[in-house]
Amino acid sequence: MMSFESLFQQLQTVLNMKCEDLQAQGVEQPNPSAIWHYFVHQQWCDVESEEEMHIHQMVSDLLALTKQQYCTYIEQTSYKMTPFAELEEEEIAALLES
């Protein structure tokens, strides 16, 4: 996997623009780092070399991010951070039956 962290600074202006766009659509406090992590872990996770990814493609992807994609990712991420995220399905079911 390529080093996306080195590209984060290069694309900071685009990330900030996307945050402004999301905020105009009603998203409260969109975060450039969260947008970046969404792409690194969801969209670009299969990229193995820099040759497979170009800056213009990354800019296009960032600008194409929808409010729904961002909000769904934030919701899933926050769910994974809850204490119940580490529980097995059977343990959750047992807790809900109580």
Side-chain angles (χ1 to χ4, degrees):
M1 180 184 244
M2 70 185 273
S3 172
F4 286 106
E5 298 311 315
S6 64
L7 297 169
F8 179 77
Q9 292 300 320
Q10 292 179 356
L11 295 169
Q12 190 66 45
T13 302
V14 177
L15 290 162
N16 290 337
M17 286 173 42
K18 189 45 141 174
C19 283
E20 290 173 11
D21 178 46
L22 290 170
Q23 194 167 21
Q25 294 180 50
V27 176
E28 291 185 30
Q29 301 178 342
N31 182 319
S33 294
I35 294 171
W36 188 253
H37 285 120
Y38 166 76
F39 280 98
V40 170
H41 298 290
Q42 299 287 323
Q43 298 292 324
W44 303 328
C45 60
D46 294 333
V47 176
E48 295 182 11
S49 70
E50 291 190 32
E51 291 78 35
E52 292 182 42
M53 201 70 175
H54 301 284
I55 294 289
H56 68 275
Q57 183 181 358
M58 296 173 90
V59 169
S60 177
D61 290 348
L62 289 167
L63 294 176
L65 176 69
T66 66
K67 175 183 174 181
Q68 183 64 38
Q69 288 171 313
Y70 177 76
C71 291
T72 300
Y73 177 72
I74 294 301
E75 185 176 303
Q76 289 173 345
T77 303
S78 65
Y79 172 74
K80 290 178 183 178
M81 293 180 169
T82 64
F84 298 110
E86 296 178 4
L87 296 176
E88 298 293 326
E89 287 184 36
E90 295 84 22
E91 294 172 316
I92 294 173
L95 286 172
L96 293 174
E97 289 177 4
S98 304

